Amino acid sequence: MRSPNVAVVGATGLVGQEMVRVLEQRSFPVNTMHLFASDRSAGKRVYFKREPVEVRELKSSAFDSIDLALISAGADISRQYSPLLAKAGAVVVDNSAAFRMEPWVPLVVPEVNPGDIGHHKGIIANPNCSTIQMV
Protein backbone atom coordinates (compact mmCIF):
# COMPACT_ATOMS: atom_id res chain seq x y z
CA MET A 1 0.00 0.00 0.00
CA ARG A 2 1.39 3.40 -0.94
CA SER A 3 1.70 6.30 1.43
CA PRO A 4 -1.10 8.86 1.20
CA ASN A 5 -1.01 12.22 -0.51
CA VAL A 6 -1.59 14.61 2.38
CA ALA A 7 -2.89 18.17 2.37
CA VAL A 8 -2.72 20.70 5.18
CA VAL A 9 -5.22 23.51 4.68
CA GLY A 10 -4.27 26.60 6.65
CA ALA A 11 -0.62 25.55 6.46
CA THR A 12 0.82 28.97 7.31
CA GLY A 13 -1.27 29.51 10.45
CA LEU A 14 0.00 28.45 13.86
CA VAL A 15 -2.06 25.26 14.01
CA GLY A 16 -1.34 24.38 10.38
CA GLN A 17 2.39 24.81 10.96
CA GLU A 18 2.16 22.56 13.99
CA MET A 19 0.28 19.94 11.97
CA VAL A 20 3.14 19.88 9.46
CA ARG A 21 5.70 19.61 12.29
CA VAL A 22 3.87 16.76 14.00
CA LEU A 23 3.52 14.80 10.76
CA GLU A 24 7.27 15.13 10.33
CA GLN A 25 8.17 14.38 13.96
CA ARG A 26 6.04 11.24 13.98
CA SER A 27 7.43 10.07 10.63
CA PHE A 28 3.90 9.92 9.25
CA PRO A 29 4.13 8.24 5.85
CA VAL A 30 3.49 10.86 3.18
CA ASN A 31 3.75 10.30 -0.54
CA THR A 32 3.22 13.95 -1.49
CA MET A 33 2.65 16.90 0.83
CA HIS A 34 0.27 19.60 -0.40
CA LEU A 35 0.10 22.87 1.53
CA PHE A 36 -2.76 25.31 1.07
CA ALA A 37 -3.50 28.72 2.51
CA SER A 38 -5.05 32.04 1.50
CA ASP A 39 -3.87 33.99 -1.52
CA ARG A 40 -1.76 36.14 0.84
CA SER A 41 0.38 33.13 1.71
CA ALA A 42 0.54 31.55 -1.74
CA GLY A 43 4.12 31.18 -2.91
CA LYS A 44 5.62 30.93 0.57
CA ARG A 45 7.68 27.85 1.32
CA VAL A 46 7.27 25.59 4.34
CA TYR A 47 9.79 22.84 5.05
CA PHE A 48 8.65 19.26 5.39
CA LYS A 49 11.30 16.57 5.88
CA ARG A 50 13.98 19.15 5.09
CA GLU A 51 12.45 19.89 1.69
CA PRO A 52 10.73 23.15 0.80
CA VAL A 53 7.08 22.78 -0.14
CA GLU A 54 5.41 25.69 -1.88
CA VAL A 55 2.18 26.88 -0.32
CA ARG A 56 -0.60 27.15 -2.88
CA GLU A 57 -3.77 29.17 -2.79
CA LEU A 58 -6.72 27.07 -1.69
CA LYS A 59 -8.70 26.14 -4.82
CA SER A 60 -10.86 23.08 -5.37
CA SER A 61 -9.15 22.33 -8.68
CA ALA A 62 -6.17 20.87 -6.78
CA PHE A 63 -8.10 18.24 -4.81
CA ASP A 64 -8.09 15.27 -7.16
CA SER A 65 -4.95 13.64 -5.76
CA ILE A 66 -5.50 14.19 -2.02
CA ASP A 67 -6.04 11.14 0.20
CA LEU A 68 -5.95 12.82 3.61
CA ALA A 69 -6.67 16.49 4.37
CA LEU A 70 -6.05 18.18 7.69
CA ILE A 71 -7.95 21.45 7.86
CA SER A 72 -7.35 24.32 10.25
CA ALA A 73 -8.55 27.37 8.41
CA GLY A 74 -11.79 28.30 10.17
CA ALA A 75 -15.36 27.10 9.95
CA ASP A 76 -16.34 29.06 6.83
CA ILE A 77 -13.42 27.69 4.82
CA SER A 78 -14.06 24.21 6.13
CA ARG A 79 -17.77 24.31 5.27
CA GLN A 80 -16.86 25.35 1.74
CA TYR A 81 -13.95 23.01 1.03
CA SER A 82 -14.31 19.90 3.25
CA PRO A 83 -17.25 18.47 1.29
CA LEU A 84 -15.37 19.10 -1.97
CA LEU A 85 -12.29 17.31 -0.66
CA ALA A 86 -14.41 14.40 0.59
CA LYS A 87 -16.25 14.19 -2.73
CA ALA A 88 -12.87 14.06 -4.51
CA GLY A 89 -11.96 11.02 -2.36
CA ALA A 90 -10.05 12.50 0.58
CA VAL A 91 -10.66 11.76 4.21
CA VAL A 92 -10.94 15.16 5.89
CA VAL A 93 -10.00 15.80 9.50
CA ASP A 94 -11.53 19.16 10.40
CA ASN A 95 -10.17 21.23 13.26
CA SER A 96 -12.91 23.89 13.11
CA ALA A 97 -16.38 23.99 14.62
CA ALA A 98 -18.02 23.55 11.20
CA PHE A 99 -19.06 19.90 11.55
CA ARG A 100 -18.81 19.18 15.28
CA MET A 101 -22.56 19.04 15.80
CA GLU A 102 -23.48 17.24 12.58
CA PRO A 103 -24.92 13.81 13.42
CA TRP A 104 -23.33 12.24 10.32
CA VAL A 105 -19.80 13.44 11.23
CA PRO A 106 -17.95 11.52 13.94
CA LEU A 107 -16.46 13.75 16.65
CA VAL A 108 -13.23 11.96 17.55
CA VAL A 109 -10.60 12.22 20.24
CA PRO A 110 -8.14 9.43 19.36
CA GLU A 111 -7.42 8.48 22.98
CA VAL A 112 -11.15 8.30 23.81
CA ASN A 113 -13.16 7.00 20.85
CA PRO A 114 -10.80 6.01 18.02
CA GLY A 115 -13.25 3.42 16.71
CA ASP A 116 -15.65 6.14 15.65
CA ILE A 117 -13.29 7.02 12.81
CA GLY A 118 -14.64 3.98 11.01
CA HIS A 119 -18.09 5.59 10.76
CA HIS A 120 -17.03 8.62 8.75
CA LYS A 121 -18.56 9.66 5.44
CA GLY A 122 -15.49 11.59 4.33
CA ILE A 123 -15.27 14.09 7.18
CA ILE A 124 -14.07 13.60 10.75
CA ALA A 125 -14.33 16.40 13.32
CA ASN A 126 -12.36 16.94 16.48
CA PRO A 127 -13.35 18.97 19.53
CA ASN A 128 -11.71 22.26 20.34
CA CYS A 129 -8.38 22.23 22.16
CA SER A 130 -9.76 22.84 25.66
CA THR A 131 -12.37 20.08 25.31
CA ILE A 132 -9.75 17.61 24.11
CA GLN A 133 -7.68 18.37 27.22
CA MET A 134 -10.67 17.70 29.49
CA VAL A 135 -11.64 14.38 27.96
Side-chain angles (χ1 to χ4, degrees), residues 70-105:
L70 306 176
I71 299 184
S72 183
D76 289 340
I77 296 294
S78 192
R79 277 189 206 95
Q80 181 178 353
Y81 288 101
S82 292
L84 298 173
L85 278 155
K87 186 175 180 181
V91 174
V92 176
V93 179
D94 179 42
N95 195 43
S96 77
F99 299 99
R100 288 180 185 152
M101 299 302 290
E102 294 294 335
W104 57 274
V105 176

